[in-house]
Amino acid sequence: MAYSFPEEVLEHVFSFLTSDKDRNAVCLVCKSWYEIERWCRRRIFVGNCYAVSPEIVIRRFPEVRAVEIKGKPHFADFNLVPEGWGAYVYPWVAAMSAAYPLLEEIKLKRMVVTDESLELISKSFKNFKVLVLSSCEGFTTDGLASIAANCRNLRELDLRESEVEDLSGHWLSHFPDNYTSLVSLNISCLGSEVSFSALERLVARSPNLRTLRLNRAVPLEKLPNLLRRAPQLVELGTGAYSAEIRSDTYSNLAEAFSACKQLKGLSGFWDVVPSYLPAMLHVCSGITSLNLSYATIQSPDLVQLVTQCRNLQRLWVLDYIEDSGLEALAASCKDLQELRVFPSDPFGAVPNVSLTEQGLVSVSEGCPKLQSVLYFCRQMSNAALVAIARNRPKLIRFRLCILEPRVPDYLTLEPLDTGFGAIVENCKELRRLSLSGLLTDRVFKYIGTHAKKLEMLSIAFAGDSDLGLHHVLSGCESLRKLEIRDCPFGDKALLANAAKLETMRSLWMSSCSVSYGACKLLGQKLPRLNVEVIDERGPPDSRPESCPVERLYVYRTVSGRRVDMPGFVWTMDEDASLRFS
Amino acid sequence: MEGMIMAHESDLNLKATELRLGLPGTDECEEMVSAAKNNKRASPESVEECGSKGTCAAKSSEHETAPAPKAQIVGWPPVRSYRKNNLQPKKTESESGIYVKVSMDGAPYLRKIDLKVYNGYPELLKALETMFKLTIGEYSEREGYKGSEYAPAYEDKDGDLMLVGDVPWDMFMSSCKRLRIMKGSEARGLGGAL
């Protein structure tokens, strides 16, 4: 049995396994399979940069070509993680530069990336091809210049939603004249102008360019110059979509667009001047992905554009679309899979648009393939949620954000427990859920009972007691990430379900009622977890043990306590009591 | 007055029983404060949130006539700052000028001027006179620029040729797409009511 196939054959067989889950399963079969597999694993995904150290990864997988690492917890997006918390990529890059000279891909999310790291990347990996920095920060355009100058085989440079310090727009000119392998460029997050002539020349010498996402500073008048040089584009992000209204600008634009026969994705659209929208008319029928979440256009221009895109699969849009627009969307776009509606005026006290629960209900009725929803609105009812759940039992992601916390069903004034209960009960494949509105412990009972495939749950301003948290931790079998803010959840549920935390990637709790004492206990009992208290008020032991901590971040790890913690993060472990006394 | 001071300093329980002078609109904010406090521990540790809500409560009792201002909670609603910032119109747009082309019948090339530089018609006309070395004369509603060698006209948003001076300056600024200095004889057809 053990001598069935030679190594090379097994390696070849394993090369067809692309999912990490499958590869991890293979490793558990027997020692020789473990050995063979680890030498041929080429892609690594690290969901939490502190769950494992670079050294451990390198030791186990010596021949990696692509690395994906995630850093800060999701709530960092909403300023709940203080500056300087961590997630530095440098130690990873330093270790990999020695161990993986053939590394081709680095994808990072919510990590701190310095110019130093970028320079090291550009000089260490001769065959470097793909750099994706998603929601990262800490670097400047100088770092980008190093990448441009040194990565001769670069295919993809994607800076999506990162915070970049703009020192100069000339970094783009650092791509050598004989560099022609660009396939994807996303600079949409850059605040200031890049050298347009450099951009133009770069596009002109990139015959394989498929994705080009420009930043706001690229004027509309100049867009045709780029499109004409890249009619093979599949994804385009425009710059500001506004210009003086002139017929020659318009006709140039329309002509340039009509030459782009392969366009499937559009984004950008800052500062839209509606008169220029019809210039895109001819490409609409091919569009499957449309991101209008920065476009401050309203009906009828907005609706006209969206309904022209009959093959739309993904739509991100502002709430200017209103219920009427969503109804039109539901009637026109039968292939819609993902809808995200963002608030145009998140802090306004009164509604500025006519967008209610009805819009989402219409889409759930009309779009049979809908599986992913992110919806910001101001009112919701149980009836609407029940309707949505019944219409779309195949939902995978459902994130609802009612702008005001703790708002009840506006029709009955009851909590929205029943509505969300219907969602988890009907949508048996649900993997991600975000709750909002007035919710009692009952909704958590429903979730614990039904949401068996749920992997990520976000809770805010909800629940009555520890029982709520207990339902979730004891019932949700597939739970990997749990993030909670401003809920009356405390010690009891956490300690009673401590072992559950070792089966999850991470737990975040902020502004809840978890005491310092409970955190210490958790840290002492479960050595394979890092229990970290984030508290800007000073050392937790300067306050009574019963005092709740500001923020708690618990995650499983095989590399022990962090060694790079800032002054406001404390690890609770066996030595905690010794260290503090 | 006393009621408002008490609202300032008292905690949840007193508020429920005291007599307040606040108008109905102030209730919402207080309820939010009390609802939040139900979920919060007794100690005023959550600096940011208690602080903001405390301010809110204070504000609502002070400004009785204004609707209760929304207490801003950190990180709520969960919209990334990247997204919030990008919704604002780019500042430079309001600072950039309104440049329009100016053509003169018979001139070999056109000029461009920034309408924002001028405070009104007299200044604009003066500038045109200087730029093209001609006289335009005085505007009258009834007769346009009668008697002048030249008359200033402009193309508006609809593409129509209009006489400069008929509409208020601000309206002109926003609707003028280009200027054309016509020979007086041609312009006579534009003067007065058509």
Side-chain angles (χ1 to χ4, degrees), chain A residues 78 135 161 216 270 293-294 318 342 347 376 401 403-404 406 460 485-486 488 511-512 537 547-548, chain B residues 32 39-41 45 49 70 72-80 82-84 86-90 93:
Chain A
F78 316 122
S135 307
E161 296 176 0
R216 195 175 185 174
W270 291 276
S293 59
Y294 299 109
L318 285 171
F342 294 96
F347 303 113
F376 283 83
C401 179
L403 291 175
E404 186 74 28
R406 300 196 194 87
R485 64 163 296 177
D486 293 273
S511 306
C512 295
R537 296 169 295 175
C547 188
Chain B
M32 238 172 66
N39 282 344
K40 297 219 165 302
R41 51 252 183 209
E45 240 103 47
E49 300 179 64
K70 234 174 158 58
Q72 279 212 18
I73 307 168
V74 172
W76 192 268
V79 177
R80 302 191 49 197
Y82 172 86
R83 200 166 274 291
K84 281 183 277 186
N86 270 287
L87 282 178
Q88 310 310 322
K90 224 168 151 62
E93 276 178 17

Side-chain angles (χ1 to χ4, degrees), chain A residues 122-138:
Chain A
S122 76
K123 302 218 164 113
S124 310
F125 311 114
K126 296 297 162 228
N127 209 21
F128 196 66
K129 296 196 168 91
V130 174
L131 183 63
V132 177
L133 301 176
S134 176
S135 307
C136 293
E137 49 159 357

Side-chain angles (χ1 to χ4, degrees), chain A residues 198-504:
Chain A
L199 181 59
E200 212 173 351
R201 286 194 307 272
L202 179 61
V203 170
R205 65 179 189 278
S206 305
N208 299 316
L209 194 64
R210 293 281 171 278
T211 299
L212 180 62
R213 300 212 195 268
L214 305 168
N215 63 339
R216 195 175 185 174
V218 175
L220 189 60
E221 297 95 325
K222 297 210 173 138
L223 185 59
N225 296 24
L226 298 172
L227 293 181
R228 254 180 256 121
R229 288 171 170 78
Q232 76 283 5
L233 276 182
V234 175
E235 292 181 330
L236 171 70
T238 71
Y241 204 79
S242 67
E244 231 180 275
I245 301 180
R246 298 171 44 136
S247 50
D248 52 349
T249 311
Y250 182 93
S251 52
N252 273 349
L253 191 60
E255 205 183 310
F257 266 117
S258 60
C260 296
K261 308 254 184 248
Q262 324 259 24
L263 272 180
K264 290 217 169 327
L266 287 173
S267 62
F269 299 108
W270 291 276
D271 317 314
V272 177
V273 164
S275 316
Y276 278 108
L277 288 174
M280 289 197 309
L281 223 56
H282 292 295
V283 303
C284 286
S285 57
I287 297 299
T288 55
S289 171
L290 187 56
N291 182 352
L292 294 172
S293 59
Y294 299 109
T296 50
I297 28 167
Q298 319 207 13
S299 298
D301 306 297
L302 176 54
V303 179
Q304 188 181 45
L305 175 59
V306 167
T307 52
Q308 285 286 341
C309 302
R310 304 212 154 245
N311 290 309
L312 211 52
Q313 291 171 16
R314 183 200 305 172
L315 176 66
W316 291 22
V317 73
L318 285 171
D319 55 10
Y320 289 127
I321 194 156
E322 301 192 318
D323 290 343
S324 51
L326 290 174
E327 207 178 310
L329 174 73
S332 318
C333 305
K334 295 302 183 185
D335 278 346
L336 196 71
Q337 292 173 21
E338 178 180 328
L339 174 68
R340 294 196 192 191
V341 179
F342 294 96
S344 53
D345 186 18
F347 303 113
V350 287
N352 61 326
V353 290
S354 176
L355 179 101
T356 69
E357 80 284 5
Q358 189 47 51
L360 186 55
V361 172
S362 306
V363 176
S364 76
E365 277 165 3
C367 300
K369 301 190 187 166
L370 189 70
Q371 37 165 243
S372 182
V373 170
L374 170 61
Y375 200 74
F376 283 83
C377 61
R378 289 174 192 268
Q379 68 184 42
M380 188 48 63
S381 66
N382 283 309
L385 286 170
V386 169
I388 293 164
R390 295 216 177 114
N391 290 335
R392 297 275 68 84
K394 295 243 166 59
L395 277 178
I396 293 179
R397 280 170 225 104
F398 188 73
R399 297 158 71 186
L400 180 70
C401 179
I402 305 170
L403 291 175
E404 186 74 28
R406 300 196 194 87
V407 151
D409 175 329
Y410 77 100
L411 294 170
T412 64
L413 297 183
E414 281 172 4
L416 291 172
D417 300 338
T418 327
F420 279 106
I423 294 280
V424 292
E425 201 179 345
N426 285 293
C427 307
K428 303 202 195 302
E429 303 298 313
L430 198 69
R431 295 205 300 255
R432 184 166 180 185
L433 178 64
S434 300
L435 307 170
S436 58
L438 183 65
L439 296 164
T440 72
D441 284 347
R442 238 174 337 136
V443 73
F444 299 112
K445 182 147 192 233
Y446 298 144
I447 291 173
T449 308
H450 296 288
K452 296 304 180 187
K453 298 268 176 76
L454 194 66
E455 295 178 5
M456 183 168 176
L457 179 62
S458 309
I459 312 173
F461 305 102
D464 310 309
S465 74
D466 270 48
L467 202 51
L469 181 56
H470 174 70
H471 286 311
V472 171
L473 289 176
S474 57
C476 297
E477 289 160 8
S478 310
L479 199 62
R480 293 191 298 114
K481 289 182 280 184
L482 180 58
E483 47 184 24
I484 305 172
R485 64 163 296 177
D486 293 273
C487 295
F489 299 150
D491 303 344
K492 287 203 282 280
L494 209 53
L495 293 171
N497 293 282
K500 169 74 173 174
L501 299 177
E502 283 186 345
T503 69
M504 292 165 53

Side-chain angles (χ1 to χ4, degrees), chain B residues 39-95:
Chain B
N39 282 344
K40 297 219 165 302
R41 51 252 183 209
S43 47
E45 240 103 47
S46 178
V47 175
E48 291 156 332
E49 300 179 64
C50 271
S52 63
K53 290 200 175 70
T55 317
C56 176
K59 269 195 194 146
S60 61
S61 31
E62 277 162 21
H63 305 292
E64 284 179 307
T65 48
K70 234 174 158 58
Q72 279 212 18
I73 307 168
V74 172
W76 192 268
V79 177
R80 302 191 49 197
S81 38
Y82 172 86
R83 200 166 274 291
K84 281 183 277 186
N85 295 339
N86 270 287
L87 282 178
Q88 310 310 322
K90 224 168 151 62
K91 279 208 197 113
T92 46
E93 276 178 17
S94 51
E95 282 155 16

